[in-house]
Amino acid sequence: MAQAAAVAKPPAPPRRRRASATPRRLPYLLIAPAALLMLGFIAYPVISVFYYSLQEYNPTKPWRNGFAGLDNFVHAFTEDPLFWDTLVFSAKWVFVEVGLQLLFGLALALIVNQTFVGRALGRALVFSPWAVSGVLTSAIWVLLYNSQTGITRYLADVGLGSYGTSWLSDTSTVFPAAIVADLWRGVPFFAILILADLQSVSKDLYEAAEVDGAGRLKQFWHITLPHLKDAIVLSTLLRAVWEFNNVDLLYTLTGGGPAGVTTTLPLYIANTSVDAHNFGYASALTTVAFVILLFCSVVYLRLSKFGGEDK
């Protein structure tokens, strides 16, 4: 018995516990409630728009409500001249606004990136318009364009123009006036993003370029601009989408007038749904706008090779 106890088998090694998958899933479980909530807030309106785009839906005329199929889309493309007019103006508005905002934003970013006395204050002044809401921006510029107390009165005092002139009521001046108002708020957006990217450019590159005899223009073209490519592509895409969907500024500033010359497609959609209560047709126009923005965004990202290496 003693010998048997002496040669007893050693205790078996402890069993390895299977690695639990819970720690790996824990981050996803924690963000799941917020993700589902956001998905609900986004998915439901999108699905509702697609659904109502196939319906004839007007709460003021319930006897006409029902399934319309593709009639709303056919009406938009073949029978509604306002659709094409507003779409053309939307493209013009986006092209001019985004181009000018990029140009001035790049210039401002290059300026405030330099070292000078009061740079912090200068940056704060440059970026401050971006903190102002669109409706408040419109209210400010409505006062500035007021024919009795605004810019035109002071210009008339010095002999430039006549009293009682309203740039927002004249079809020849309303577009430039609206462009300037939106530039004041949109330029800081480009300046902020481009400045953030400018600060990551290595100074060694510029020093090496100076040793090789490259001037400021060559340094900008061969060092600064390639480094800013992705920031410019992303900022122009985001701003183009926002400008296309711009409603608050134009609605407050011009209301789409005079004579509808400043009515964008989103503003036309808002008027169709809110004023005319034609939610079915407005949903169809919204679907068309969504497809246009999606197609243009994909094409733009593919052509610009966003995130890829330049060859």
Side-chain angles (χ1 to χ4, degrees):
M1 294 293 294
Q3 291 181 353
V7 296
K9 293 183 179 180
R15 288 169 124 194
R16 290 185 179 181
R17 294 183 178 180
R18 295 178 59 185
S20 175
T22 303
R24 289 180 295 176
R25 296 176 182 175
L26 183 60
Y28 301 100
L29 294 175
L30 292 176
I31 67 173
L36 292 174
L37 189 63
M38 291 181 61
L39 181 62
F41 275 106
I42 295 174
Y44 177 74
V46 171
I47 295 174
S48 297
V49 168
F50 289 154
Y51 170 76
Y52 285 113
S53 67
L54 302 175
Q55 305 291 321
E56 181 73 27
Y57 182 67
N58 189 332
T60 63
K61 302 176 182 178
W63 58 89
R64 297 180 56 181
N65 295 344
F67 182 73
L70 299 177
D71 290 348
N72 289 325
F73 297 96
V74 173
H75 176 73
F77 285 102
T78 62
E79 301 175 8
D80 187 2
L82 290 178
F83 166 74
W84 293 106
D85 292 342
T86 57
L87 184 59
V88 170
F89 177 76
S90 297
K92 177 183 175 182
W93 173 264
V94 170
F95 181 79
V96 174
E97 271 293 344
V98 175
L100 291 177
Q101 288 178 20
L102 173 62
L103 181 63
F104 289 116
L106 177 60
L108 278 177
L110 292 173
I111 292 173
V112 298
N113 191 46
Q114 304 299 317
T115 302
F116 56 89
V117 178
R119 183 174 69 172
L121 178 61
R123 288 180 175 180
L125 292 176
V126 167
F127 301 151
S128 57
W130 181 244
V132 182
S133 67
V135 174
L136 184 56
T137 299
S138 304
I140 293 172
W141 284 94
V142 165
L143 293 175
L144 289 174
Y145 289 144
N146 187 281
S147 60
Q148 302 299 323
T149 60
I151 300 173
T152 55
R153 178 183 176 181
Y154 293 101
L155 291 177
D157 289 340
V158 297
L160 299 176
S162 57
Y163 291 101
T165 302
S166 177
W167 290 345
L168 298 178
S169 301
D170 190 340
T171 56
S172 62
T173 58
V174 64
F175 181 70
I179 287 291
V180 171
D182 200 44
L183 278 177
W184 180 79
R185 184 169 180 258
V187 167
F189 171 78
F190 282 94
I192 293 171
L193 289 184
I194 293 175
L195 177 63
D197 211 24
L198 274 175
Q199 293 176 336
S200 64
V201 182
S202 175
K203 294 182 179 180
D204 295 339
L205 296 175
Y206 294 105
E207 293 175 357
E210 288 181 2
V211 172
D212 292 338
R216 289 291 183 89
L217 185 59
K218 286 187 176 181
Q219 292 179 25
F220 172 78
W221 188 258
H222 295 287
I223 298 176
T224 306
L225 206 56
H227 185 85
L228 296 176
K229 174 197 165 186
D230 283 349
I232 291 175
V233 171
L234 179 61
S235 58
T236 51
L237 177 61
L238 292 176
R239 197 61 188 158
V241 173
W242 292 341
E243 288 297 344
F244 184 89
N245 292 319
N246 191 336
V247 173
D248 53 356
L249 185 137
L250 286 174
Y251 182 81
T252 309
L253 201 64
T254 67
V261 297
T262 59
T263 302
T264 58
L265 181 58
L267 186 54
Y268 178 47
I269 293 172
N271 292 333
T272 302
S273 58
V274 177
D275 296 338
H277 304 290
N278 193 350
F279 293 99
Y281 187 57
S283 298
L285 294 178
T286 304
T287 303
V288 173
F290 170 78
V291 172
I292 292 173
L293 286 177
L294 180 62
F295 174 78
C296 292
S297 299
V298 172
V299 171
Y300 180 64
L301 291 176
R302 292 292 298 272
L303 292 178
S304 63
K305 298 178 181 179
F306 176 74
E309 295 292 336
D310 294 330
K311 296 182 179 180

